[in-house]
């Protein structure tokens, strides 16, 4: 693995919350993975399970509604609308034109695993330039004038530019640089991170961003190949890819290594060239149920401390 000298940037403050009330990984993502949300509505904290999602008939979605197999199947038909909660003015409504203007002329980097790849796709759709397969390219066809968000995007390992995944052992990754504007002045880049600090990855990612400054970078520390070494080895069966390291193979140094490698990526790819570029560490992907035997809460703390 390649090594970079650590900067004197302050380490993040680690705050441990209670375990999520949501029992499934997809349910945590659906509701932002929040047991106790840090945002405020009318000055009051947003309680666990208040996600501003609505059932097709209009009733509020509760934790019990999504902790079931039927709830997971229903999720795509739910809609997000905070206005029904009686808090108009708290959420600024963006349409594709306003969103596109927000990022116009900027150069943004998004880096992470498959979950963050979907965030990258969503940002492109919000900005009016989607690259998802089997999805309209005209915002008028996928974003209603009264909706707070675009129509649901398809998920998968491929987009209009090809396959977008990674494999650490095979030295495979996915790079994207989607540009638009009369002079291609707006650019959104994506890096698919597996472990993120090996020499081949750091050199490749650094070369990809080039010499043009970044306005901001959004990074999610990769986790899956640290826990599931064959997670993205699609030459194996789904069962083989899903094999998890045993608790005896995982310890504090393992978790700290996840955070440390993420920091090395940020320093090597972003701060080494542009030390003043703002980096936003995307809230760690909610750890799925199969990590609980490794100590979910303590694992989060150790990963953050390693970063």
């Amino acid at each position: 693995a390649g090594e970079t000298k650590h900067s004197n940037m302050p380490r993040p403050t680690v705050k441990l919350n209670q375990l999520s009330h949501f029992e499934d990984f997809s349910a945590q993502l659906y509701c932002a993975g929040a047991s106790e949300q840090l945002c405020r509505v009318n000055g009051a904290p947003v309680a666990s399970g208040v996600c501003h999602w609505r059932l097709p008939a209009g009733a509020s979605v509760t934790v019990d509604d999504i902790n079931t197999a039927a709830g997971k199947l229903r999720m795509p038909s739910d809609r997000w609308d905070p206005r029904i909660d009686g808090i108009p003015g708290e959420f600024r409504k963006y349409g594709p034109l306003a969103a596109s203007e927000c990022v116009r002329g900027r150069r943004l980097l998004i880096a992470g695993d498959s979950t963050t790849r979907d965030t990258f796709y969503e940002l492109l759709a919000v900005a009016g330039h989607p690259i998802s397969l089997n999805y309209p390219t005209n915002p008028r066809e996928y974003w209603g004038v009264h909706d707070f968000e675009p129509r649901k995007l398809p998920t998968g390992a491929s987009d209009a530019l090809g396959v977008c995944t990674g494999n650490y052992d095979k030295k495979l990754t996915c790079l994207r640089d989607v540009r638009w504007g009369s002079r291609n002045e707006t650019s959104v880049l994506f890096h698919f991170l597996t472990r993120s600090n090996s020499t081949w990855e750091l050199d490749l990612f650094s070369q990809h961003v080039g010499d043009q400054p970044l306005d901001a970078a959004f990074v999610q520390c990769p986790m899956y190949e640290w826990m599931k070494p064959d997670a993205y080895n699609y030459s194996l069966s789904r069962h083989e890819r899903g094999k998890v390291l045993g608790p005896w193979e995982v310890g504090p140094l393992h978790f700290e290594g996840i955070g440390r490698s993420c920091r090395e990526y940020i320093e090597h790819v972003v701060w080494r060239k542009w030390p003043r570029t703002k980096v936003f560490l995307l809230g760690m992907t909610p750890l799925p149920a199969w990590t609980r035997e490794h100590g979910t809460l303590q694992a989060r703390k150790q990963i953050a401390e390693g970063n």
Side-chain angles (χ1 to χ4, degrees), residues 17-279:
N17 292 326
Q18 296 179 348
L19 280 170
S20 172
H21 295 291
F22 307 117
E23 299 173 358
D24 193 83
F25 184 43
S26 59
Q28 293 194 53
L29 293 177
Y30 172 93
C31 213
S35 281
E36 176 188 354
Q37 300 189 30
L38 300 181
C39 60
R40 295 291 186 267
V41 175
N42 294 331
V46 178
S48 169
V50 179
C51 307
H52 306 302
W53 283 92
R54 298 286 159 178
L55 298 171
S60 296
V61 173
T62 67
V63 173
D64 291 338
D65 288 325
I66 57 178
N67 278 340
T68 64
K72 293 171 64 177
L73 294 175
R74 191 209 65 251
M75 285 180 188
S77 63
D78 293 345
R79 59 192 178 92
W80 188 81
D81 190 343
R83 295 172 299 183
I84 306 178
D85 290 314
I87 49 173
E90 291 290 336
F91 292 88
R92 180 177 178 180
K93 184 177 180 297
Y94 276 92
L97 292 179
S100 182
E101 180 63 24
C102 181
V103 300
R104 184 170 64 87
R106 300 182 184 276
R107 194 162 187 255
L108 308 176
L109 168 65
I110 300 175
D113 59 20
S114 56
T115 301
T116 313
R117 178 189 61 204
D118 290 344
T119 302
F120 166 70
Y121 292 152
E122 188 77 23
L123 175 60
L124 292 178
V126 167
H129 297 272
I131 63 171
S132 301
L133 292 175
N134 302 316
Y135 198 76
T137 56
N138 186 339
R140 294 182 180 179
E141 298 179 25
Y142 63 79
W143 198 336
V145 293
H146 299 297
D147 295 336
F148 273 85
E149 59 179 352
R151 195 175 81 199
K152 182 179 182 294
L153 275 75
T155 59
S158 297
D159 55 42
L161 302 177
V163 176
C164 187
T165 185
N167 184 285
Y168 178 79
D169 291 330
K170 293 185 176 182
K171 296 185 178 181
L172 297 176
T173 188
C174 170
L175 305 174
R176 294 287 184 264
D177 186 353
V178 180
R179 306 181 184 189
W180 63 88
S182 58
R183 300 187 304 276
N184 284 330
E185 65 272 15
T186 304
S187 174
V188 181
L189 299 88
F190 174 70
H191 292 167
F192 193 108
L193 306 184
T194 52
R195 298 207 177 183
S196 78
N197 71 331
S198 59
T199 301
W200 71 268
E201 284 183 293
L202 292 178
D203 290 345
L204 180 63
F205 293 144
S206 181
Q207 181 181 7
H208 182 249
V209 297
D211 297 321
Q212 185 180 351
L214 293 168
D215 290 288
F218 303 84
V219 181
Q220 176 232 320
C221 297
M223 175 192 67
Y224 279 96
E225 284 208 84
W226 286 83
M227 298 290 215
K228 293 183 177 182
D230 295 313
Y232 301 113
N233 185 355
Y234 290 95
S235 65
L236 300 177
S237 68
R238 184 172 183 177
H239 174 73
E240 292 173 316
R241 296 200 314 270
K243 291 182 178 178
V244 185
L245 291 177
W248 62 91
E249 300 176 86
V250 177
L253 293 179
H254 185 90
F255 291 127
E256 290 167 12
I258 297 175
R260 189 178 303 112
S261 69
C262 189
R263 186 179 182 89
E264 288 175 358
Y265 167 83
I266 294 170
E267 292 183 337
H268 190 95
V269 177
V270 181
W271 283 339
R272 189 175 69 170
K273 295 181 178 180
W274 311 290
R276 302 187 67 176
T277 294
K278 291 183 178 180
V279 175

